[in-house]
Amino acid sequence: VPSLKTFLCAGAPIPGPLVEQARKTLGTKIVSAWGMTENGAVTLIKLDDDDQLAFGTDGCPLPGVDVKVVDFDGQTMPAGEVGKLLVRACSNFGGYLKRPQLNNTDAQGWFDTGDLARVDAQGYIRITGRSKDVIIRGGENIPVVEIEALLYKHPAVQLAAIIAYPDERLGERACAVIVPKPGQRIDLAGMVDFLKQHQVALHYIPEKLVLREAIPATPSGKIQKFKLREMLRSGDLM
């Protein structure tokens, strides 16, 4: 596809290894972007940005858009720290029809996106997951998106999603749901060894592995983790 000059990735955070592979394979500029129906486009990689920013971030705010990352008490987080992502923009929606209690917009116009993110010193954001997808193991949050991105580097992994399952002692543990590439194999021991080779802390490594031929997704390809959690609770995810 020599005529393809620019490819825009948006809709859901794309694992960095896939973006890097696409850049090498297609030879085209990969532009990462992020937004929501409630705000439209929020952040974007610039065409003259270094490729590494597309591999590891979801862009910087567009003109007319402000973003900030706060803790659960509403205090602004330092650069590089993960917290709740708030957006205030000229494109923010007016609210949900007949459901004002769901609007999540404060008196200053900040909309709670429901996403977790971090902002670097240059103002570029990286979505790290949905707040409802957080896995808290023994009181410590597991960096789900980062672990998923590492799994995509495994030669046998086609799709990967990490979800929580209840544990009496630790509250929650992590389960990796993986669709292997055709003809490839991966087991729990191999996954653990692979993540250890990438210096992942032991308490961040998923303690259960489920292999599937497919993972529930929306028509646009977003993995539906809530369905995976339901399947795990009902015993359908084995």
Side-chain angles (χ1 to χ4, degrees), residues 1 14 48 55 78 103 109 130 133 143 145 159 162-163 170 172 179 204 208 220:
V1 284
I14 311 296
D48 57 353
F55 302 160
N103 289 354
R130 296 288 290 170
D133 291 336
V145 171
L159 289 174
I162 297 175
I163 57 174
L170 295 173
E172 293 179 323
V179 176
Y204 289 162
K208 179 181 290 188
S220 62

Side-chain angles (χ1 to χ4, degrees), residues 35-56:
M36 300 177 68
T37 301
E38 290 86 349
N39 337 90
V42 174
T43 60
L44 185 73
I45 294 292
K46 301 172 185 175
L47 287 175
D48 57 353
D49 278 341
D50 187 272
D51 285 338
Q52 291 299 322
L53 286 171
F55 302 160

Side-chain angles (χ1 to χ4, degrees), residues 112-129:
D112 185 344
T113 65
D115 279 311
L116 299 176
R118 59 175 180 266
V119 179
D120 66 17
Q122 297 175 274
Y124 284 73
I125 73 165
R126 182 58 169 171
I127 303 296
T128 62

Side-chain angles (χ1 to χ4, degrees), residues 1 10 26 49 67 81-82 90 106-107 116 123 131 161 196 199 223:
V1 284
L26 298 174
D49 278 341
V67 301
E81 295 291 323
V82 173
C90 56
D106 67 16
L116 299 176
S131 57
K196 284 182 177 178
Q199 285 76 52
I223 292 175

Side-chain angles (χ1 to χ4, degrees), residues 120-202:
D120 66 17
Q122 297 175 274
Y124 284 73
I125 73 165
R126 182 58 169 171
I127 303 296
T128 62
R130 296 288 290 170
S131 57
K132 60 188 177 184
D133 291 336
V134 170
I135 299 175
I136 304 176
R137 182 188 186 279
E140 188 165 0
N141 291 358
I142 294 178
V144 172
V145 171
E146 282 85 351
I147 306 301
E148 289 172 344
L150 286 174
L151 288 176
Y152 275 99
K153 291 186 176 182
H154 193 289
V157 173
Q158 179 169 303
L159 289 174
I162 297 175
I163 57 174
Y165 66 95
D167 181 80
E168 185 174 341
R169 183 171 68 88
L170 295 173
E172 293 179 323
R173 294 180 188 262
C175 171
V177 184
I178 288 176
V179 176
K181 291 179 180 177
Q184 299 292 324
R185 294 173 58 85
I186 183 172
D187 57 18
L188 180 61
M191 179 190 71
V192 171
D193 288 342
F194 178 80
L195 292 176
K196 284 182 177 178
Q197 291 169 18
H198 285 79
Q199 285 76 52
V200 175
L202 188 60

